[in-house]
């Protein structure tokens, strides 16, 4: 009986084990099938990925920096970037929330025992997905945030990043690769680096490497990385819209992942480029606090044939948006792009070239103090057409003449083209007009010229056909601003003694912004009134010599409109179209 009872218990035990095992196996099959299909849907079948059990990253809740002050639930600070001279605070607006202005906000600084407030330096942009508040750099030991003036409530603050090492911009190219802009790679100028040492990563939280998508680097040079974009990012529009879109960063193998504020975003260029470009000639520039010179620069270049302008604003605080609005209302086709990243002119020009590529046959990369001048009877259209006949020409390099103060001690009221008429005798450097379609995929450039794709070449334009008047050494009031900071990555600031003999510097000045006694007469070897005479011929009316970019011109035009009861056509419309 004992043996029989034992045998019966054994039979019951194995039967239970069998059914239990069957249920477990069945459950595992269902779970595995569900998980695989879900991952395949989310991430595609071709990318290298790590299994993710939380499909949507949730940003952790954050307390107010003060620890006690009330927090407004309407907007938040998505991220903060600390530049050497100011802090950039990127706002995150929920839908239907009104956009704040400078007058609505205070910069607030907290320490363990105290707090203080200051006015923002500037508020850039009026888009809820990209507005930036610029605050003065906070004192040592303090943390910067924002508060609403209306009720004093603090705005929830996100993570803070150092500018020294940061992925700061990204855009998807027409070939579906992601162009990533990185500060802190410290790569050599004009050299392609070894892409196998790097890796592209996509996700929401780079502090959790297990939950990131990883793809290969296609190319890397200077501050620009071209990444293979995951199919899941390309095929899911919701992952590319607004402040919740997927971020992209760069991992240096063996060292770690860069901090990043860059979001892959919606496709920034047309996937199918038009056969014929909308504009024959465009211009791209990067500037800071050049608003007072912008009207003359735009209006002159419109008169000789430039059709569109891409303005990259590098932390101006001189109300440039008002000047751009005036020009836009006058039917000039101008787009301003906020580019707060310091010493990144090469990266900014590459970014601009990609944006302009689908619209412009040729793009000139010049500064606001540089003016294209055609000494011969040929117009700009003729020059471009002559070069366009040769399919292999991808870049026209144009020499520059540098003009000095020309005996002046104050800013010339009629503008730089009329006021400065004395220059150095020999050409200095060159600037380029390029075909964006001809640019090398690495987008390598050194401000003055780009690297071209195989099969394209550059040509040097004859000085008798096209030259650039570079009003480089203006009156000291204007020139001293160059000591603040240079915009190019691989050009030393003038306050540093690095490369003291470079042509990018003013000879004999050193590193201090101290005006030499003979400044007004320097850099004057050849009197050259060619462009001045052309400007006066195009723009000056016989009855008065006020030029359209002068403040007095607007007052005069208003007076004429009043006298003629509104029948007089605006002066600037008479010659720009």
């Amino acid at each position: 009986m004992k043996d029989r009872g034992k045998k019966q218990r054994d039979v019951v035990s194995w039967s239970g084990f069998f059914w239990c095992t069957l249920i477990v196996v069945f459950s595992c099959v269902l779970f595995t099938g569900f998980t695989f299909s879900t991952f395949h849907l989310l991430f595609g079948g071709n990318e290298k990925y790590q299994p993710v059990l939380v499909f949507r990253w949730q940003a952790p809740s954050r307390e107010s920096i003060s620890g006690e002050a009330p927090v407004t639930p309407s907007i938040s600070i998505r991220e903060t970037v600390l530049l050497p001279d100011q802090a950039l605070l990127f706002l995150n607006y929920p839908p239907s929330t009104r956009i704040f202005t400078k007058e609505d906000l205070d910069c607030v600084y907290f320490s363990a025992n105290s707090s203080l407030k200051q006015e923002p330096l500037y508020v850039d942009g009026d888009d809820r997905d990209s507005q930036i508040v610029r605050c003065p750099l906070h004192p040592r030991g303090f943390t910067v945030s924002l508060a609403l003036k209306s009720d004093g409530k603090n705005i929830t603050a996100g993570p803070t990043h150092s500018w020294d090492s940061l992925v700061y911009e990204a855009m998807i190219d027409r070939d579906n690769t992601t162009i990533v802009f990185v500060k802190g790679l410290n790569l050599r100028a004009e050299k392609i680096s070894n892409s196998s040492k790097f890796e592209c990563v996509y996700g929401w939280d780079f502090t959790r490497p297990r939950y990131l998508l990883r793809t290969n680097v296609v190319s890397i040079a200077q501050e620009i990385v071209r990444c293979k974009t995951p199919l899941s990012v390309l095929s899911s529009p919701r992952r590319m819209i607004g402040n919740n879109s997927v971020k992209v960063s760069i991992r240096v193998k063996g060292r770690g992942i860069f901090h990043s504020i860059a979001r892959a975003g919606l496709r920034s260029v047309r996937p199918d480029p038009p056969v014929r470009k909308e504009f024959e000639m465009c211009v791209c520039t990067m500037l800071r606090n050049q608003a007072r010179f912008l009207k003359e620069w735009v209006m002159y270049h419109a008169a000789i044939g430039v059709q569109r302008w891409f303005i990259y604003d590098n932390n101006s605080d001189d109300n440039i948006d008002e000047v751009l609005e005036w020009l836009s209302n006058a039917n000039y086709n101008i787009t301003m792009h906020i580019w707060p990243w310091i010493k990144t002119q090469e990266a900014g020009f590459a970014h601009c070239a990609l944006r302009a590529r689908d619209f412009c046959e040729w793009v000139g990369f010049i500064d606001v103090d540089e003016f294209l001048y055609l000494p011969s009877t040929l117009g700009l259209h003729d020059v471009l057409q002559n070069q366009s006949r040769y399919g292999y020409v991808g870049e026209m390099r144009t020499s520059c003449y540098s003009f000095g103060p020309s005996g002046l001690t104050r800013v010339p009221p009629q503008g730089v083209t009329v006021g400065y008429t004395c220059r150095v005798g020999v050409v200095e450097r060159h600037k380029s007009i390029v075909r964006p379609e001809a640019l090398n995929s690495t987008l390598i450039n050194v401000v003055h010229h780009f690297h071209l794709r195989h099969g394209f070449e550059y040509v040097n334009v004859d000085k008798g056909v096209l030259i650039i008047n570079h009003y480089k050494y203006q009156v000291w009031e204007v020139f001293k601003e160059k000591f603040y900071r240079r915009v190019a990555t691989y050009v030393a600031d003038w306050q540093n003694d690095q490369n003291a003999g470079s042509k990018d510097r003013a000879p004999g000045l050193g590193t201090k912004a101290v005006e030499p006694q003979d400044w007004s007469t320097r850099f004057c070897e050849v009197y050259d009134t060619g462009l001045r005479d052309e400007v006066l011929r195009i723009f000056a009316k016989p009855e008065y010599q006020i030029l359209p970019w002068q403040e007095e011109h607007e007052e005069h035009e208003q007076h004429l409109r009043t006298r003629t009861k509104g029948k007089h056509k605006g002066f600037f419309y008479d010659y720009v179209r």
Side-chain angles (χ1 to χ4, degrees), residues 369-528:
D369 60 356
E370 295 171 332
F371 288 72
L372 300 171
Y373 173 46
L374 299 138
S376 72
T377 57
L378 293 176
L380 182 60
H381 171 76
D382 300 321
V383 175
L384 297 175
Q385 284 294 303
N386 289 342
Q387 298 301 332
S388 296
R389 289 184 299 177
Y390 305 101
Y392 63 87
V393 176
E395 180 179 59
M396 292 185 286
R397 296 186 178 181
T398 306
S399 299
C400 303
Y401 278 129
S402 294
F403 281 71
S406 305
L408 302 179
T409 57
R410 301 181 63 182
V411 176
Q414 289 185 298
V416 298
T417 54
V418 174
Y420 300 114
T421 56
C422 199
R423 59 170 173 84
V424 297
V426 297
V427 296
E428 293 184 356
R429 297 288 183 109
H430 63 263
K431 287 295 180 75
S432 293
I433 302 172
V434 304
R435 272 181 171 153
E437 295 287 357
L439 298 185
N440 187 286
S441 63
T442 63
L443 300 174
I444 290 177
N445 70 87
V446 286
V447 178
H448 300 280
H449 56 262
F450 282 80
H451 285 201
L452 304 177
R453 290 196 289 122
H454 179 73
F456 287 93
E457 300 176 8
Y458 71 86
V459 295
N460 293 313
V461 182
D462 187 276
K463 295 191 297 292
V465 174
L466 180 64
I467 193 77
I468 290 177
N469 278 14
H470 184 187
Y471 298 98
K472 181 177 180 179
Y473 308 112
Q474 299 186 35
V475 295
W476 187 258
E477 171 191 341
V478 176
F479 180 81
K480 67 181 181 181
E481 293 298 320
K482 292 182 181 289
F483 280 88
Y484 176 71
R485 183 175 56 239
R486 310 299 301 279
V487 294
T489 305
Y490 296 97
V491 175
D493 289 339
W494 284 5
Q495 297 180 38
N496 300 332
D497 57 8
Q498 181 182 356
N499 299 329
S502 170
K503 291 183 178 179
D504 288 306
R505 295 175 177 267
L509 270 192
T511 59
K512 304 295 183 181
V514 178
E515 181 180 6
Q517 291 185 350
D518 62 342
W519 177 256
S520 65
T521 59
R522 288 191 178 189
F523 314 108
C524 182
E525 298 172 350
V526 176
Y527 283 98
D528 184 343

Side-chain angles (χ1 to χ4, degrees), residues 178-180 182 185 200 217 219-220 223-227 250:
T178 305
I179 310 298
V180 183
V182 190
L185 287 171
C200 306
V217 170
S219 66
I220 179 169
E223 292 190 347
I224 301 174
V225 185
R226 187 180 288 268
C227 296
I250 301 300

Side-chain angles (χ1 to χ4, degrees), residues 52-53 76 78 93 96 113 127 167 218 229 232-233 299 322 371 380 394 418 435 485 513:
V52 180
L53 299 180
S76 62
R78 188 176 76 233
Y93 285 89
S96 73
N113 303 314
D127 185 276
V167 175
V218 179
T229 310
S232 56
V233 174
M299 297 173 81
E322 296 179 5
F371 288 72
L380 182 60
V418 174
R435 272 181 171 153
R485 183 175 56 239

Side-chain angles (χ1 to χ4, degrees), residues 183-364:
K183 196 67 176 178
L185 287 171
N186 299 322
L187 303 178
R188 294 179 60 188
E190 292 196 86
K191 300 293 183 181
I192 299 176
S193 297
N194 184 358
S195 61
S196 66
K197 296 180 179 180
F198 304 88
E199 187 176 49
C200 306
V201 290
Y202 293 77
W204 286 276
D205 185 358
F206 295 112
T207 64
R208 306 173 70 183
R210 291 177 55 198
Y211 304 106
L212 301 176
L213 286 174
R214 305 169 185 270
T215 64
N216 292 330
V217 170
V218 179
S219 66
I220 179 169
Q222 297 186 169
E223 292 190 347
I224 301 174
V225 185
R226 187 180 288 268
C227 296
K228 181 182 178 183
T229 310
L231 295 178
S232 56
V233 174
L234 293 171
S235 60
S236 181
R238 69 181 179 84
R239 295 175 178 271
M240 304 165 66
I241 298 175
N243 289 316
N244 293 320
S245 58
V246 175
K247 286 184 178 181
V248 59
S249 188
I250 301 300
R251 173 178 171 264
V252 183
K253 295 180 181 179
R255 289 175 52 190
I257 300 174
F258 275 80
H259 284 228
S260 175
I261 65 167
R263 300 172 188 273
L266 292 171
R267 192 183 305 276
S268 301
V269 293
R270 302 176 186 176
D272 300 313
V275 176
R276 183 178 179 84
K277 304 298 175 68
E278 185 177 357
F279 307 107
E280 181 182 44
M281 179 64 184
C282 305
V283 165
C284 177
T285 195
M286 185 178 292
L287 54 79
R288 177 185 175 275
N289 288 346
Q290 298 292 304
R292 59 177 169 172
F293 304 114
L294 201 55
K295 286 184 182 179
E296 177 184 9
W297 186 75
V298 170
M299 297 173 81
Y300 166 76
H301 283 103
I304 67 170
V306 174
Q307 298 160 298
R308 182 169 177 179
W309 294 259
F310 296 87
I311 309 294
Y312 276 55
D313 182 61
N314 194 219
N315 297 329
S316 294
D317 52 18
D318 60 351
N319 296 317
I320 185 175
D321 47 350
E322 296 179 5
V323 176
L324 292 174
E325 182 179 7
W326 186 94
L327 289 166
S328 180
N329 291 336
N331 295 327
Y332 296 96
N333 194 334
I334 297 181
T335 303
M336 185 176 79
H337 186 85
I338 298 170
W339 187 267
W341 317 117
I342 62 173
K343 294 192 73 64
T344 58
Q345 189 174 29
E346 295 88 342
F349 278 3
H351 191 279
C352 184
L354 290 178
R355 291 180 61 219
R357 181 179 56 188
D358 290 339
F359 304 98
C360 310
E361 187 67 36
W362 296 92
V363 181

Side-chain angles (χ1 to χ4, degrees), residues 64 66 68-75 77 100 104-106 108 110 117 145-156:
S64 169
S66 66
E68 298 179 358
V71 174
T72 176
S74 58
I75 66 171
I77 301 170
F100 290 122
D104 297 316
L105 300 167
D106 276 323
V108 185
F110 296 98
K117 292 183 179 181
S145 186
L146 295 171
L148 296 176
K149 288 184 177 179
S150 59
D151 55 16
K153 291 181 178 179
N154 297 322
I155 298 175
T156 306

